[in-house]
Structures are given as C-alpha cells and as structure tokens.
Amino acid sequence: MPAVLVAAQAWGGGTVDRAYVKSLAAPGKVVLVVEYYDPAGKVFDRKGFATASGFRAKSPVDIEVDSKVNLHLYGLEPCRGDMVNQKEGFAGNCGDYASQQLGVLLKSAKVIFCRAFLTERNVPLQDVTCFGYYNYPGSLDTVDNFEEQLVSLGALRLSKKRDGSLMRPDLAAAEKIGRGGFGMWADPRVQRQ
C-alpha cells in the first residue's frame, strides 16, 4: 500500500506534459485518453476514446465515457442540499450546479486527459484525475486540471477522510480560492456545512 500512496503523489493533480496533451487533439472530435499508472508511477497502459458529440457529466463528479466506462473525479463532492448564487443566477440543488459546471468543462474541451491507477483499468467506475485542453484561436490555448478548476470556482469541494483530513490535499489552495465567495460558497448555508 505505501507504494500506491507514493504513486498518488506522482499523478494526482500536478502538472502534465502540455505539448503531449495538445498533440492528442483531432479535428472534429473530442478525444479522451486515460493513462494507467503502476505503483512506481510509470505509465502501464492507455485507453483512448473519441467522439464528435463530446462526453457528458453523468453526475457532479462522474464523466460518462461509454456504456462500459465511467470516470470518477476522485476526492471531490458537491455541497449538500440546495444553494443560491445570485451573481450567477443559480438557485437549486448543489449536485445540479456541480453537474452543470462539469458539463461546461467537458463541452469546451478538445482533449480530456485523465490519470488513474492500474487497479482502475478494468472497473466500470474509475477513480481519476483529469485535465482538459481548451483552444479558442487568438484568445485561449491552455491545459487545465478539471478538479482544480471545479474546486476554485466553487462547483465542488474537497471530500474528507474519516479522520477529517482531506482526500486531496493537493487541492487545498484551490478550495481556499473557492471559499472566497465563488459558486456554492456564495451561499452562507453552504459555508456552515
């Protein structure tokens, strides 16, 4: 088990080879690639998917790839119950808000690049961390971490372990940004959760 924890540091969030992620783009398609890592942090296997219609949010933290594979953004959760964000004109269920925000990231991405442990390779719901490549010629050309974006925008928050520690301490700074009043954090009821 300690080797797996060391590997988590190697692929959780962090940085990726942006040129490699951009090179996966295909004209007229949204490409999704999952790389599976062994306990030493080395790429063991890859799976690729492409679609002209894109991928959709199945839940606030799940991406539907196909009928056999769904990806789960590890260590994140929506707030509980309902929320109001007057600035964004949203009033409703926390999960609906988070699903909507994940949907925006999925719809805009040219490439979705995800990392998972080797143990996730053949399970229907795979714990992952994902990055999106966004390109709008003349204005935006970037590769961003999905979880960091969703947490800093206040769409999702960090899940905690039973002992109260964060499941994704690598995203603590992003949550601090979100808690500044973005997304769900604009609602005082959520701040008290």
Side-chain angles (χ1 to χ4, degrees):
M1 188 69 154
V4 172
L5 296 175
V6 170
Q9 299 298 324
W11 67 266
T15 61
V16 292
D17 181 343
R18 295 177 187 287
Y20 169 66
V21 174
K22 291 177 181 183
S23 75
L24 299 171
K29 303 252 184 209
V30 177
V31 175
L32 187 150
V33 173
V34 183
E35 285 190 346
Y36 299 94
Y37 290 75
D38 67 18
K42 303 236 187 270
V43 177
F44 183 84
D45 194 11
R46 285 183 183 89
K47 288 184 183 176
F49 307 86
T51 177
S53 59
F55 299 93
R56 72 174 194 90
K58 188 173 181 175
S59 79
V61 291
D62 296 329
I63 302 166
E64 183 177 48
V65 177
D66 63 22
S67 62
K68 296 178 184 169
V69 177
N70 292 286
L71 305 177
H72 176 77
L73 299 176
Y74 174 76
L76 306 180
E77 64 185 18
C79 55
R80 291 185 307 276
D82 292 330
M83 60 167 274
V84 174
N85 184 315
Q86 292 179 346
K87 227 187 290 186
E88 295 180 32
F90 183 88
N93 182 273
C94 289
D96 292 342
Y97 178 75
S99 292
Q100 182 183 78
Q101 298 303 311
L102 176 57
V104 168
L105 290 181
L106 292 169
K107 184 176 181 179
S108 303
K110 305 263 184 230
V111 174
I112 301 165
F113 174 75
C114 301
R115 295 171 168 170
F117 289 122
L118 180 58
T119 55
E120 302 294 314
R121 185 171 53 155
N122 295 315
V123 297
L125 184 60
Q126 302 175 7
D127 284 339
V128 296
T129 184
C130 294
F131 298 79
Y133 170 48
Y134 304 92
N135 180 269
Y136 296 96
S139 62
L140 182 67
D141 186 58
T142 187
V143 176
D144 292 320
N145 179 263
F146 274 22
E147 298 94 272
E148 184 176 1
Q149 292 297 312
L150 292 166
V151 170
S152 65
L153 294 172
L156 294 168
R157 63 184 177 190
L158 300 178
S159 300
K160 294 183 178 177
K161 299 176 188 175
R162 288 187 179 155
D163 67 4
S165 63
L166 298 175
M167 291 177 79
R168 292 287 305 270
D170 59 306
L171 295 174
E175 186 169 274
K176 185 175 181 183
I177 292 168
R179 284 179 179 266
F182 296 100
M184 72 172 104
W185 302 112
D187 190 324
R189 296 172 299 173
V190 172
Q191 293 176 9
R192 291 190 296 267
Q193 288 184 10

